[in-house]
Amino acid sequence: MSDDEEEKYGLMDWVGTAIGIVVAGFIIFILIWPLIDPTPDKSSTLKENIQKMK
């Protein structure tokens, strides 16, 4: 294995790691969004959505 191939593999490793961090951060953001949602009347819209589903 030449130095060039090792360097390309390292670069791909960094790209994969960066993508993984972004995806994990996005998932965490989606999960905590209801806790930090700045819109007023959060619970009423949630109740309305539940009533619409019934």
Side-chain angles (χ1 to χ4, degrees):
M1 185 181 245
S2 69
D3 290 338
D4 191 39
E5 288 177 6
E6 288 179 15
E7 195 171 314
K8 285 181 183 176
Y9 179 72
L11 179 66
M12 292 304 292
D13 254 0
W14 278 109
V15 170
T17 302
I19 291 171
I21 290 171
V22 169
V23 170
F26 189 67
I27 291 170
I28 291 169
F29 178 75
I30 289 172
L31 291 175
I32 66 170
W33 178 250
L35 300 176
I36 60 171
D37 188 3
T39 56
D41 301 327
K42 291 181 280 200
S43 57
S44 66
T45 55
L46 184 60
K47 288 176 187 173
E48 290 171 8
N49 290 339
I50 293 172
Q51 288 174 353
K52 288 178 186 175
M53 289 189 340
K54 289 183 179 178

